Amino acid sequence: QVQLQESGPGLVRPSQSLSLTCTVSGGSVSDPGYYWSWIRQPAGRELEWLGRIYASGSTKYNPSLKSRLTISLDTSKNQFSLNLSSVTAVDTAIYYCVRDQPAIFGDYFDYWGQGTLVTVSS
Amino acid sequence: DIQMTQSPSTVSASVGDRVTISCRASQSISTWLAWYQQKPGKAPKLLIYKASSLKSGVPSRFSGSGSGTEFTLTISSLQPDDFATYYCQQYYSDLVYTFGQGTKLEIK
C-alpha cells in the first residue's frame, strides 16, 4: 500500500517561498510507471493541480503557476518537494501530494497524502 | 483550460436512495474522466477512472457513465458512509488537469 506524507511549515509570510516535502512509503519515486504531483485546495474551494515530476526528473507545471513553481525529486530519500515563490494570501490552501496514474493523454490520481494546511499571513 | 461543471452543487438524499451527480466538460474529453470522494478533513479518494472503471475495492453501488462532454456518477443505494463531496476530474488535456467544483451529498 502506497502512503504519502506531506511535511513543511504551516505558516509562510507574504512574498516568501513556500516549501513542502512529500515522503513516499510502500512505493518508489524512482518507479518509471508513475508520476508524482502536487494538488491544492483553498478552504471550501475546488481542487487545483499544480504540477508533477517523473522519475527522470522531468516536470510539467500548471501554466498559471509555472513562473513561481519548482518541483524536485530526492530519490535517495524517496521524496519529492514543492517550492512556490512569492506567495500571497491566495496561496493559502491545503496542499496534497499524490501519485499519478498515467493514462494515454494524462493522469488521474490514485493515492493521496493526508494534506497539510499552509497559511500565508504576516 | 478545459472547464468542468458539476450539478447540482448540493443534493439531499436518504439512506437507500439512488443518487445521480452530473459533470459536464467544456469540450470533448472522450472518456478521460475520474471521480473522487472527499469527506470533511480528509483527502479525496479515487472512485472511478476512465469514466466507468471502478477502482479496486470501491463498492459496486458506485458506477460511472458518459463520454464526450456529459458524465454521470450514480450511487445505486445510498449508505451512511457515502455522505461526502464528490469531484470529477478530466485528464484529456495534458496541459493542465482540472476538477469540477464539487457536489456535496447531504443527508435529507
Side-chain angles (χ1 to χ4, degrees):
Chain A
Q1 176 85 350
V2 176
Q3 292 185 312
L4 301 96
Q5 178 68 57
E6 305 88 353
S7 59
L11 179 65
V12 181
R13 304 301 182 192
S15 80
Q16 301 299 305
S17 291
L18 181 165
S19 294
L20 297 173
T21 296
C22 181
T23 301
V24 178
S25 57
S28 172
V29 298
S30 299
D31 190 327
Y34 303 101
Y35 293 91
W36 306 90
S37 278
W38 288 95
I39 291 170
R40 70 181 180 182
Q41 185 175 35
R45 299 282 304 278
E46 65 202 63
L47 299 151
E48 179 183 26
W49 174 77
L50 305 182
R52 74 178 190 198
I53 191 163
Y54 187 56
S56 64
S58 66
T59 54
K60 183 181 291 289
Y61 299 128
N62 187 321
S64 69
L65 293 166
K66 189 173 183 177
S67 63
R68 298 194 292 133
L69 182 61
T70 303
I71 297 176
S72 58
L73 202 62
D74 187 337
T75 56
S76 67
K77 295 181 180 179
N78 212 29
Q79 295 175 334
F80 63 105
S81 299
L82 169 150
N83 184 281
L84 184 65
S85 63
S86 306
V87 298
T88 68
V90 298
D91 295 309
T92 294
I94 296 173
Y95 285 76
Y96 296 99
C97 59
V98 303
R99 190 182 81 170
D100 293 33
Q101 184 70 244
I104 294 176
F105 288 108
D107 310 345
Y108 58 92
F109 309 108
D110 61 353
Y111 287 96
W112 296 62
Q114 66 183 27
T116 188
L117 174 63
V118 179
T119 301
V120 178
S121 175
S122 55
Chain B
D1 297 358
I2 298 175
Q3 306 302 315
M4 307 301 292
T5 304
Q6 292 181 231
S7 61
S9 296
T10 305
V11 57
S12 298
S14 301
V15 172
D17 284 354
R18 179 184 179 91
V19 170
T20 297
I21 296 170
S22 296
C23 177
R24 174 177 292 178
S26 60
Q27 67 182 73
S28 178
I29 58 170
S30 183
T31 56
W32 303 111
L33 183 100
W35 288 98
Y36 301 87
Q37 176 194 67
Q38 185 178 34
K39 295 182 179 179
K42 301 293 186 181
K45 289 184 178 179
L46 176 68
L47 298 175
I48 287 170
Y49 60 96
K50 207 168 185 303
S52 60
S53 296
L54 202 64
K55 181 185 177 184
S56 176
V58 173
S60 59
R61 62 181 180 272
F62 290 93
S63 64
S65 64
S67 66
T69 62
E70 302 286 342
F71 300 88
T72 299
L73 173 70
T74 300
I75 309 173
S76 60
S77 178
L78 269 175
Q79 299 302 302
D81 191 49
D82 300 338
F83 292 96
T85 299
Y86 293 84
Y87 293 93
C88 60
Q89 176 235 333
Q90 65 80 19
Y91 53 105
Y92 175 81
S93 168
D94 195 40
L95 181 64
V96 59
Y97 310 125
T98 50
F99 294 82
Q101 83 280 15
T103 294
K104 185 176 182 180
L105 177 51
E106 297 182 329
I107 300 174
K108 183 183 287 184

XYZ file of all heavy atoms in Angstrom, chain A residues 58-110:
419
model
N 12.004 14.984 -15.003
C 11.261 15.879 -15.890
C 9.985 16.349 -15.208
O 9.362 15.601 -14.436
C 10.919 15.187 -17.203
O 10.014 14.131 -16.988
N 9.605 17.577 -15.476
C 8.471 18.195 -14.792
C 7.472 18.782 -15.790
O 7.794 19.048 -16.938
C 8.949 19.325 -13.869
O 9.748 20.242 -14.637
C 9.767 18.784 -12.713
N 6.259 18.950 -15.283
C 5.214 19.662 -16.007
C 4.463 20.481 -14.968
O 4.124 19.964 -13.903
C 4.268 18.699 -16.703
C 3.187 19.393 -17.528
C 2.264 18.393 -18.181
C 2.962 17.594 -19.272
N 3.243 18.436 -20.473
N 4.216 21.752 -15.299
C 3.584 22.642 -14.348
C 2.285 23.225 -14.906
O 2.132 23.396 -16.113
C 4.521 23.804 -14.004
C 5.831 23.389 -13.361
C 7.046 23.827 -13.881
C 5.842 22.567 -12.232
C 8.244 23.456 -13.290
C 7.036 22.188 -11.645
C 8.234 22.632 -12.173
O 9.419 22.261 -11.585
N 1.377 23.554 -13.980
C 0.192 24.307 -14.348
C 0.664 25.671 -14.874
O 1.399 26.376 -14.180
C -0.710 24.476 -13.125
C -2.044 25.098 -13.444
O -2.148 26.016 -14.255
N -3.075 24.604 -12.781
N 0.260 26.024 -16.097
C 0.735 27.298 -16.664
C 0.455 28.510 -15.766
O 1.208 29.484 -15.800
C -0.030 27.397 -17.985
C -0.315 25.980 -18.348
C -0.565 25.282 -17.037
N -0.603 28.448 -14.966
C -0.950 29.594 -14.122
C 0.070 29.815 -13.015
O 0.117 30.895 -12.419
C -2.338 29.389 -13.517
O -2.315 28.335 -12.571
N 0.892 28.809 -12.724
C 1.863 28.909 -11.636
C 3.293 28.708 -12.101
O 4.216 28.783 -11.290
C 1.548 27.841 -10.578
C 0.255 28.016 -9.809
C -0.086 26.727 -9.071
C 0.357 29.154 -8.807
N 3.467 28.440 -13.384
C 4.747 27.981 -13.895
C 5.912 28.877 -13.495
O 7.006 28.410 -13.190
C 4.685 27.849 -15.416
C 5.887 27.180 -16.032
C 5.681 26.928 -17.515
C 6.877 26.183 -18.111
N 6.663 25.877 -19.543
N 5.692 30.184 -13.466
C 6.801 31.108 -13.192
C 7.232 31.084 -11.729
O 8.319 31.543 -11.392
C 6.398 32.531 -13.585
O 5.305 32.952 -12.791
N 6.392 30.537 -10.850
C 6.690 30.562 -9.417
C 6.965 29.178 -8.828
O 7.345 29.079 -7.659
C 5.521 31.176 -8.641
C 5.211 32.611 -8.990
C 4.289 33.220 -7.925
N 2.955 32.653 -7.910
C 2.320 32.257 -6.809
N 2.904 32.306 -5.635
N 1.084 31.784 -6.888
N 6.730 28.132 -9.593
C 6.707 26.781 -9.040
C 7.906 25.949 -9.481
O 8.284 25.965 -10.660
C 5.418 26.083 -9.481
C 5.163 24.667 -8.965
C 5.079 24.670 -7.443
C 3.881 24.115 -9.569
N 8.475 25.226 -8.526
C 9.516 24.237 -8.816
C 9.200 22.963 -8.046
O 8.934 23.019 -6.847
C 10.905 24.728 -8.403
O 11.200 25.964 -9.068
C 11.970 23.702 -8.763
N 9.208 21.847 -8.762
C 9.046 20.543 -8.126
C 10.322 19.753 -8.372
O 10.853 19.742 -9.490
C 7.824 19.789 -8.687
C 6.545 20.566 -8.381
C 7.743 18.382 -8.091
C 5.278 19.946 -8.971
N 10.815 19.132 -7.308
C 12.079 18.398 -7.406
C 11.943 17.032 -6.756
O 10.980 16.757 -6.032
C 13.202 19.193 -6.763
O 12.898 19.471 -5.409
N 12.958 16.197 -7.009
C 12.941 14.800 -6.582
C 14.206 14.494 -5.801
O 15.292 14.961 -6.160
C 12.880 13.940 -7.843
C 12.373 12.518 -7.820
C 10.916 12.480 -7.379
C 12.516 11.910 -9.213
N 14.086 13.719 -4.721
C 15.243 13.209 -3.996
C 15.064 11.702 -3.884
O 14.397 11.210 -2.969
C 15.331 13.858 -2.620
C 16.619 13.481 -1.880
O 17.206 12.426 -2.210
O 17.019 14.224 -0.974
N 15.663 10.984 -4.823
C 15.458 9.538 -4.856
C 16.111 8.842 -3.675
O 15.638 7.782 -3.244
C 15.992 8.951 -6.171
O 17.366 9.311 -6.321
C 15.206 9.494 -7.363
N 17.179 9.436 -3.134
C 17.871 8.800 -2.004
C 16.999 8.765 -0.755
O 17.134 7.877 0.088
C 19.180 9.521 -1.711
O 18.942 10.830 -1.233
N 16.091 9.732 -0.665
C 15.184 9.806 0.498
C 13.765 9.370 0.130
O 12.887 9.393 0.992
C 15.154 11.222 1.052
C 16.487 11.695 1.625
C 16.358 13.092 2.182
C 17.686 13.573 2.770
N 17.590 14.963 3.300
N 13.569 9.010 -1.117
C 12.234 8.656 -1.620
C 11.239 9.782 -1.362
O 10.132 9.560 -0.834
C 11.738 7.340 -1.024
C 10.852 6.567 -1.989
O 10.997 6.668 -3.204
N 9.947 5.772 -1.456
N 11.638 10.973 -1.741
C 10.823 12.168 -1.505
C 10.731 13.011 -2.780
O 11.586 12.939 -3.652
C 11.456 13.040 -0.412
C 11.500 12.418 0.959
C 12.243 13.298 1.959
O 13.100 14.102 1.598
N 11.906 13.145 3.235
N 9.689 13.813 -2.840
C 9.636 14.878 -3.824
C 9.136 16.132 -3.123
O 8.474 16.063 -2.084
C 8.812 14.508 -5.066
C 7.343 14.225 -4.834
C 6.377 15.160 -5.191
C 6.915 13.018 -4.295
C 5.033 14.892 -5.010
C 5.574 12.740 -4.108
C 4.627 13.684 -4.465
N 9.484 17.283 -3.699
C 9.269 18.543 -2.999
C 8.645 19.592 -3.899
O 8.739 19.517 -5.129
C 10.598 19.065 -2.445
O 11.145 18.156 -1.517
N 8.043 20.564 -3.241
C 7.425 21.691 -3.924
C 8.022 22.969 -3.370
O 8.226 23.093 -2.156
C 5.912 21.667 -3.674
C 5.048 22.872 -4.061
C 3.640 22.421 -4.418
C 4.968 23.894 -2.931
N 8.311 23.907 -4.252
C 8.732 25.241 -3.834
C 7.927 26.255 -4.637
O 7.998 26.265 -5.879
C 10.228 25.441 -4.058
C 10.710 26.776 -3.533
O 10.532 27.797 -4.180
N 11.305 26.781 -2.353
N 7.171 27.072 -3.945
C 6.341 28.096 -4.579
C 6.814 29.456 -4.094
O 6.757 29.745 -2.889
C 4.866 27.882 -4.234
C 3.852 28.804 -4.902
C 3.836 28.575 -6.405
C 2.452 28.584 -4.309
N 7.285 30.266 -4.994
C 7.882 31.541 -4.615
C 6.854 32.677 -4.604
O 5.751 32.559 -5.147
C 9.022 31.884 -5.584
O 8.513 32.058 -6.898
N 7.238 33.747 -3.969
C 6.449 34.993 -3.957
C 4.991 34.756 -3.602
O 4.075 35.171 -4.324
C 6.561 35.689 -5.321
O 7.902 35.898 -5.676
N 4.762 34.100 -2.493
C 3.386 33.724 -2.133
C 2.592 34.929 -1.635
O 3.144 35.911 -1.117
C 3.360 32.601 -1.086
C 4.015 31.344 -1.632
C 4.020 33.039 0.220
N 1.286 34.834 -1.832
C 0.328 35.807 -1.309
C -0.790 35.028 -0.619
O -0.793 33.799 -0.611
C -0.258 36.679 -2.419
O -1.082 35.854 -3.262
C 0.833 37.328 -3.268
N -1.747 35.764 -0.093
C -2.844 35.131 0.637
C -3.622 34.136 -0.227
O -4.190 33.167 0.284
C -3.785 36.206 1.185
N -3.630 34.352 -1.524
C -4.388 33.440 -2.385
C -3.754 32.052 -2.465
O -4.362 31.109 -2.956
C -4.590 34.006 -3.807
C -5.379 35.286 -3.757
C -3.268 34.176 -4.505
N -2.514 31.935 -1.982
C -1.843 30.632 -1.956
C -2.167 29.850 -0.687
O -1.701 28.721 -0.522
C -0.331 30.810 -2.085
C 0.068 31.401 -3.435
O -0.389 30.855 -4.469
O 0.810 32.393 -3.452
N -2.942 30.440 0.211
C -3.387 29.732 1.407
C -4.306 28.583 1.001
O -5.306 28.795 0.315
C -4.138 30.675 2.356
O -3.220 31.654 2.849
C -4.742 29.913 3.524
N -3.942 27.363 1.414
C -4.697 26.191 0.979
C -4.195 24.956 1.717
O -3.153 24.993 2.382
C -4.525 25.967 -0.531
N -4.934 23.872 1.571
C -4.423 22.554 1.936
C -3.657 22.030 0.722
O -4.191 22.041 -0.399
C -5.553 21.601 2.324
C -6.263 22.101 3.579
C -5.012 20.185 2.546
C -7.503 21.323 3.952
N -2.432 21.599 0.945
C -1.600 21.082 -0.125
C -1.495 19.566 0.019
O -1.159 19.061 1.097
C -0.209 21.724 -0.078
C -0.214 23.150 -0.576
C -0.718 24.178 0.210
C 0.276 23.466 -1.842
C -0.757 25.485 -0.252
C 0.256 24.777 -2.312
C -0.259 25.771 -1.510
O -0.285 27.075 -1.979
N -1.790 18.866 -1.086
C -1.724 17.401 -1.116
C -0.613 16.954 -2.054
O -0.468 17.506 -3.158
C -3.030 16.808 -1.646
C -4.256 17.060 -0.817
C -5.159 18.073 -1.150
C -4.537 16.280 0.303
C -6.306 18.288 -0.401
C -5.677 16.488 1.062
C -6.552 17.501 0.699
O -7.688 17.714 1.458
N 0.128 15.934 -1.630
C 0.988 15.248 -2.590
C 0.279 13.965 -3.001
O -0.403 13.330 -2.174
C 2.378 14.983 -2.032
S 2.496 13.998 -0.524
N 0.405 13.616 -4.269
C -0.359 12.499 -4.815
C 0.481 11.695 -5.795
O 1.460 12.204 -6.357
C -1.650 12.986 -5.532
C -2.520 13.785 -4.596
C -1.310 13.777 -6.755
N 0.060 10.455 -6.002
C 0.666 9.635 -7.046
C -0.238 9.668 -8.264
O -1.454 9.449 -8.152
C 0.860 8.192 -6.603
C 1.710 7.381 -7.595
C 1.867 5.950 -7.192
N 0.705 5.149 -7.547
C 0.658 3.812 -7.476
N 1.735 3.145 -7.049
N -0.440 3.147 -7.809
N 0.374 9.936 -9.421
C -0.352 9.951 -10.684
C -0.366 8.568 -11.289
O 0.666 7.891 -11.353
C 0.356 10.841 -11.714
C 0.356 12.304 -11.372
O 0.400 12.629 -10.167
O 0.349 13.109 -12.309
N -1.519 8.211 -11.822
C -1.639 7.002 -12.619
C -1.710 7.462 -14.075
O -2.722 8.031 -14.495
C -2.895 6.244 -12.228
C -3.073 4.910 -12.922
C -2.064 3.880 -12.443
O -1.217 3.410 -13.192
N -2.153 3.527 -11.179
N -0.650 7.261 -14.853
C -0.652 7.768 -16.226
C -1.630 7.019 -17.118
O -1.772 5.803 -17.038
C 0.782 7.526 -16.697
C 1.565 7.257 -15.470
C 0.631 6.634 -14.497
N -2.328 7.771 -17.953
C -3.171 7.201 -18.993
C -2.619 7.701 -20.332
O -1.569 8.320 -20.376
C -4.630 7.616 -18.795
N -3.341 7.461 -21.394
C -2.806 7.779 -22.726
C -2.550 9.268 -22.881
O -1.508 9.692 -23.375
C -3.755 7.260 -23.810
C -3.793 5.726 -23.781
C -3.328 7.773 -25.180
C -4.767 5.121 -24.761
N -3.513 10.083 -22.447
C -3.350 11.527 -22.602
C -2.813 12.184 -21.342
O -1.960 13.055 -21.390
C -4.688 12.174 -22.986
C -5.109 11.873 -24.390
C -6.157 11.005 -24.644
C -4.467 12.453 -25.465
C -6.553 10.725 -25.938
C -4.858 12.176 -26.769
C -5.903 11.309 -27.000
N -3.362 11.825 -20.235
C -2.982 12.485 -18.994
C -3.086 11.541 -17.824
O -3.088 10.328 -17.994
N -3.175 12.113 -16.642
C -3.105 11.312 -15.419
C -4.351 11.495 -14.566
O -4.944 12.575 -14.528
C -1.920 11.755 -14.559
C -0.620 11.838 -15.314
O -0.526 11.291 -16.424
O 0.304 12.465 -14.770
N -4.683 10.425 -13.838
C -5.589 10.593 -12.701
C -4.786 10.220 -11.462
O -3.623 9.839 -11.547
C -6.859 9.758 -12.872
C -6.658 8.273 -13.038
C -6.676 7.419 -11.952
C -6.489 7.715 -14.309
C -6.508 6.057 -12.112
C -6.319 6.359 -14.474
C -6.335 5.533 -13.376
O -6.165 4.172 -13.534
N -5.418 10.390 -10.295
C -4.653 10.378 -9.048
C -5.157 9.282 -8.115
O -6.273 9.358 -7.610
C -4.748 11.757 -8.391
C -4.405 12.866 -9.347
C -5.401 13.691 -9.832
C -3.110 13.049 -9.789
C -5.105 14.702 -10.743
C -2.804 14.044 -10.696
C -3.800 14.876 -11.176
N -4.318 8.265 -7.904
C -4.831 7.094 -7.191
C -4.427 7.001 -5.726
O -5.082 6.292 -4.955
C -4.482 5.797 -7.945
C -2.985 5.565 -8.107
O -2.188 6.468 -7.766
O -2.624 4.477 -8.609
